[in-house]
Amino acid sequence: MTRGEIIAGIKIPDSAMSKQATALLHEYGSELLYNHSQRSFLFAALRGRQSNARFDAELLYVSAMFHDLGLTAHYRSDDKRFEVDGANAARDFLRGYGILPQSLQLVWDAIALHTSPGIAEYKEPEVALLNYGVALDVVGKGYDQLSVRDREEIIKQFPRGGLKENMISTFFDGFKHKPHTTYGSINADICACMIPGYQRPDFCQAIRHSPWAE
């Protein structure tokens, strides 16, 4: 694929910043994450076009390239949610290009909230669209709203590569050393799936066992 190529009617951003974000994903991510990230951008941009949303395609693209890099050995921390690791990495990256603080925060929010259904869709278009594109690729949310032609063109360019079989383990590899960071998120489901006998922290028990006297 070349920068500036048009896929399913969507132009792939070809600025120096976009190229570098893609290069980092190539270097530190896997083929599965690369193709997933590209599809997520295209699905998000298609949704934006269909809904006549006004959004910055380049910021959406960079957000998509970084949204799962917090799962990788290069970017993951020992104590933060992987979404936050990816958001922090993207913010640091964008600072090198002199991006304004408001746009830095926008990208940070898009990545940090991409696994937060019920919140992201009420934020700015870039945040809502990334959440939509990722959800469409991973769990098929909005699948019927995607035309067969667009679907086939995108999959031909960026094959799914056994995502159903491999995505859960890819996620888990990114935070198996810090399962406590999945508390309160959908990623706790992955820990429950992958760790025998895993007991998720229980919010009701946290309330009942708080240090307050009553």
Side-chain angles (χ1 to χ4, degrees):
M1 184 189 69
T2 58
R3 304 296 92 196
E5 183 176 356
I6 296 176
I7 301 172
I10 301 298
K11 181 181 178 181
I12 303 293
D14 59 354
S15 67
M17 184 171 75
S18 298
K19 290 177 182 178
Q20 183 59 24
T22 307
L24 290 172
L25 180 57
H26 263 306
E27 182 175 0
Y28 297 114
S30 62
E31 182 178 3
L32 181 75
L33 289 180
Y34 176 79
N35 286 339
H36 161 61
S37 298
Q38 292 287 352
R39 291 193 305 269
S40 295
F41 164 73
L42 289 166
F43 294 151
L46 279 170
R47 176 63 173 174
R49 187 176 67 184
Q50 292 167 355
S51 61
N52 294 316
R54 297 182 64 181
F55 64 95
D56 187 311
E58 186 173 31
L59 292 181
L60 178 61
Y61 183 80
V62 172
S63 299
M65 296 305 99
F66 272 88
H67 85 276
D68 275 344
L69 277 178
L71 294 168
T72 66
H74 183 76
Y75 289 105
R76 63 183 175 230
S77 68
D78 291 330
D79 60 348
K80 298 178 185 66
R81 284 177 56 157
F82 90 84
E83 302 95 327
V84 171
D85 288 333
N88 288 344
R91 183 170 57 193
D92 291 343
F93 167 79
L94 290 171
R95 281 176 175 150
Y97 288 89
I99 300 301
L100 295 174
Q102 183 177 354
S103 295
L104 294 178
Q105 188 63 54
L106 182 66
V107 170
W108 195 96
D109 286 352
I111 298 170
L113 294 173
H114 82 266
T115 60
S116 297
I119 298 176
E121 58 258 45
Y122 299 105
K123 294 278 289 178
E124 297 86 349
E126 292 82 359
V127 181
L129 290 173
L130 181 63
N131 173 259
Y132 181 91
V134 170
L136 173 52
D137 195 49
V138 177
V139 299
K141 182 178 179 180
Y143 180 86
D144 292 337
Q145 298 175 36
L146 186 66
S147 73
V148 174
R149 179 178 178 178
D150 287 344
R151 186 188 312 148
E152 290 180 349
E153 186 174 349
I154 292 169
I155 297 302
K156 180 179 180 180
Q157 186 68 51
F158 302 110
R160 288 180 61 81
L163 183 144
K164 284 187 177 182
E165 293 77 21
N166 298 314
M167 197 59 165
I168 292 174
S169 59
T170 296
F171 272 120
F172 184 60
D173 285 345
F175 51 71
K176 63 185 178 183
H177 63 296
K178 51 177 181 180
H180 62 282
T181 64
T182 67
Y183 173 60
S185 79
I186 59 177
N187 296 313
D189 293 340
I190 294 178
C191 291
C193 175
M194 299 295 285
I195 303 174
Y198 179 70
Q199 295 294 317
R200 309 181 201 195
D202 187 308
F203 185 52
C204 292
Q205 293 302 314
I207 294 172
R208 289 169 178 154
H209 292 96
S210 77
W212 294 104
E214 86 280 12

